Amino acid sequence: MRFGYGTNGFANHRLDDALAIIADLGYTGVALTLDHHHLDPYGEELASEVRRVAARLGELGLSTVIETGARYLLDPRRKHHPTLVSADSAPRVDFLKRAIRIAEELGSDCVSFWSGVADDGIPAGLAWKRMRSALEPVLAEAAGRGVRLACEPEPGMVVQHVTEALRLREELGSPELLGITLDVGHCVAVEPVSAAECARLAGPLLFNVQLDDMRHGVHEHLEFGEGELDLAATLGALAEIGYTGLAAVELPRHSHAAPVVAERCIAALRAASPENAWLTARVAAIEDDPVEIRTAFPAVGREIGRRPLHGETDPDGLVHGTVDDAARGKLLAALGVALDGEDLAKEVRELYRYGDDAERRGVLRGLHLLPESDLDTVHAGLELVADALRSNDTRLVAAALGPFAEARLDQRSWRHGVLKCLFMGVPLAAVSGLDRRRDAELSRMAADYAAERKAAGRVVPADVDLILEGGA
């Protein structure tokens, strides 16, 4: 699951500024509401603007969903009109098709949409029929472009419950590309069961999640903690069903304080996330009884996940590591609080010796978090780094050349570790302290390596320049 923030909560910001702030705060996605001022789908320079925004999103490492709930984009006088249940739904259908094309260009997770409010006097059956009919060309456009659609149950609209969205999908023939957007606040406001149960009900059909708090019976988007949502239970249910998509904060009436609100929200999400709760409990347990690390260390991947920390730019986790690497580092730091001397060194050795590859990487990436003054542990760490550098596992080699090796590994061994990275195709960005520790001898070794490659007619890795340009 990736946390994001909705641009409709940054209505007073330029889109570029909003994206930069969202990324800087640590969100990894954005729910992009197409509107007059944010990627206007009717703009004269739309094609070039989409390309520019796509490039910017890539630079910031932000994934997207496309939201289509702009208030006055189609009609300057009537909020959200026309809709899929209007007598003339053609403008809405055209808008959704445009959104699908934009989503295709941006590589978005999906296009999210809602049904609309039926005009007074319109029978429920007629409104439902209009909606189904209007969706047929939209579904055809989505199928032709391979873009997923997600129907959002919205309080007061023709489709306001998850069960109704599921019924609509079934009546349309259960198209593979049609799923559900779940606003967890809406669940509090109008659903007969909790947001966690709604997530379970949607299950694998859940394509998109919007995060906010609400009170029962009141459709008002609130910050976390101001309503009745059980945020921890909701996030836990999303993790339980294996949801890996975007979960974006939806606070369209908080634009006046967007940066501050967004910062509070990411802190609340991190505190309530199930992996954080588990990790906090394990850290406390290890500090109380260090033997606890023997069961906690192997369980990290299952409890926390194994995704790379910066998947967009480092998909294998060679440079920045993975979420389980980071979690195991916190467990090691807790072990360093509970033990010292040979007892600590022995436990660290055994975590590495008896661990699988992921556990070994976690030990290597966390060595610098152990007490620097504990010589027994330092000696143990050097043994483990040496062992990893003898392996042919690129992720072990990358993990071995982190901050601990930068500070403690002798220059000769460090140089050979750097050269091994070149041989194995490990990005030199993974080598901690390369700028500080590279020297004339490493430069000579790299130059010889490059010459040998050229003589053999082989490609010379571009990373060689990172050494040659800095060698003295």
Side-chain angles (χ1 to χ4, degrees):
M1 178 165 44
R2 295 167 277 120
F3 291 135
Y5 203 91
T7 58
N8 61 355
F10 273 83
N12 299 328
H13 283 71
R14 298 179 183 87
L15 181 57
D16 281 9
D17 292 338
L19 296 178
I21 293 170
I22 289 168
D24 286 346
L25 289 174
Y27 293 96
T28 57
V30 60
L32 177 52
T33 297
L34 304 179
D35 209 340
H36 300 288
H37 55 298
H38 287 166
L39 201 55
D40 183 355
Y42 300 97
E44 293 181 0
E45 303 297 329
L46 178 61
S48 60
E49 182 66 3
V50 170
R51 289 193 295 271
R52 189 191 66 78
V53 170
R56 185 60 177 149
L57 289 166
E59 292 169 0
L60 295 171
L62 293 173
S63 61
T64 59
V65 298
I66 297 299
E67 295 285 351
T68 58
R71 292 186 175 98
Y72 293 100
L73 180 64
L74 303 184
D75 187 330
R77 291 180 175 82
R78 299 188 68 193
K79 177 183 174 182
H80 289 158
H81 274 66
T83 72
L84 292 171
V85 301
S86 299
D88 180 11
S89 60
R92 176 65 53 176
V93 170
D94 174 68
F95 171 44
L96 292 177
K97 287 182 176 181
R98 289 170 183 260
I100 289 167
R101 293 193 287 270
I102 291 171
E104 180 186 24
E105 291 296 320
L106 295 182
S108 301
D109 290 2
C110 65
V111 172
S112 181
F113 69 95
W114 34 244
S115 56
V117 177
D119 291 334
D120 292 342
I122 299 298
L126 175 58
W128 189 271
K129 182 178 179 180
R130 286 177 176 176
M131 174 181 60
R132 283 186 51 180
S133 177
L135 277 173
E136 290 178 2
V138 177
L139 287 168
E141 182 78 17
R145 296 181 180 275
V147 173
R148 300 196 305 175
L149 296 171
C151 178
E152 178 191 358
E154 183 86 17
M157 292 192 176
V158 171
V159 174
Q160 74 164 344
H161 296 295
V162 174
T163 52
E164 291 169 334
L166 293 172
R167 172 193 159 199
L168 173 64
R169 182 179 186 275
E170 184 176 356
E171 290 185 8
L172 289 168
S174 301
E176 184 178 349
L177 291 174
L178 179 59
I180 305 295
T181 287
L182 185 70
D183 185 314
V184 300
H186 293 170
C187 299
V188 176
V190 300
E191 292 285 1
V193 296
S194 68
E197 286 303 314
C198 287
R200 296 185 182 101
L201 181 61
L205 297 177
L206 190 57
F207 288 0
N208 181 34
V209 173
Q210 297 171 353
L211 298 170
D212 50 84
D213 208 340
M214 285 192 192
R215 299 185 183 93
H216 179 68
V218 182
H219 185 196
E220 180 183 2
H221 294 254
L222 303 172
E223 287 188 58
F224 303 121
E226 295 182 358
E228 300 167 18
L229 175 74
D230 188 333
L231 182 59
T234 301
L235 296 179
L238 291 170
E240 173 191 318
I241 66 172
Y243 180 71
T244 58
L246 189 63
V249 176
E250 173 84 355
L251 291 173
R253 298 184 180 180
H254 291 66
S255 292
H256 63 283
V260 176
V261 172
E263 185 172 14
R264 286 199 295 260
C265 287
I266 192 66
L269 289 170
R270 286 169 174 161
S273 62
E275 58 263 30
N276 187 72
W278 180 87
L279 187 58
T280 299
R282 292 304 90 210
V283 165
I286 291 166
E287 291 179 351
D288 183 61
D289 181 3
V291 173
E292 289 287 331
I293 199 168
R294 298 176 187 175
T295 54
F297 217 69
V300 168
R302 181 178 66 253
E303 297 291 342
I304 302 296
R306 300 175 177 84
R307 67 184 182 278
L309 284 169
H310 298 277
E312 295 292 331
T313 56
D314 182 29
D316 296 321
L318 293 174
V319 177
H320 302 289
T322 59
V323 291
D324 48 319
D325 290 340
R328 289 191 173 98
K330 292 182 179 180
L331 299 183
L332 273 184
L335 187 67
V337 172
L339 296 176
D340 58 19
E342 185 53 40
D343 290 337
L344 176 58
K346 179 175 182 292
E347 197 68 44
V348 171
R349 285 191 182 98
E350 291 187 352
L351 287 173
Y352 181 88
R353 180 176 300 127
Y354 299 115
D356 62 17
D357 290 344
E359 292 164 50
R360 290 183 174 191
R361 291 197 310 272
V363 171
L364 293 167
R365 288 193 180 275
L367 287 173
H368 67 290
L369 300 173
L370 296 170
E372 296 180 1
S373 59
D374 194 318
L375 295 183
D376 289 323
T377 305
V378 170
H379 291 151
L382 289 171
E383 291 173 14
L384 303 185
V385 167
D387 180 80
L389 290 178
R390 287 192 294 269
S391 79
N392 291 316
D393 185 325
T394 55
R395 295 213 281 182
L396 276 182
V397 172
L401 289 172
F404 177 83
E406 176 190 357
R408 296 290 185 174
L409 196 61
D410 67 89
Q411 190 69 3
R412 180 178 181 276
S413 299
W414 181 83
R415 288 193 205 104
H416 283 280
V418 175
L419 261 292
K420 184 159 189 172
C421 286
L422 284 178
F423 297 154
M424 299 180 71
V426 174
L428 292 190
V431 179
S432 181
L434 179 65
D435 288 342
R436 185 181 70 82
R437 290 199 59 173
R438 62 187 174 185
D439 57 14
E441 178 61 14
L442 179 62
S443 183
R444 183 195 63 76
M445 295 166 70
D448 288 348
Y449 167 71
E452 291 173 5
R453 298 280 297 184
K454 289 179 180 177
R458 296 182 177 181
V459 175
V460 177
D463 273 6
V464 169
D465 291 339
L466 296 176
I467 298 173
L468 298 179
E469 291 171 1

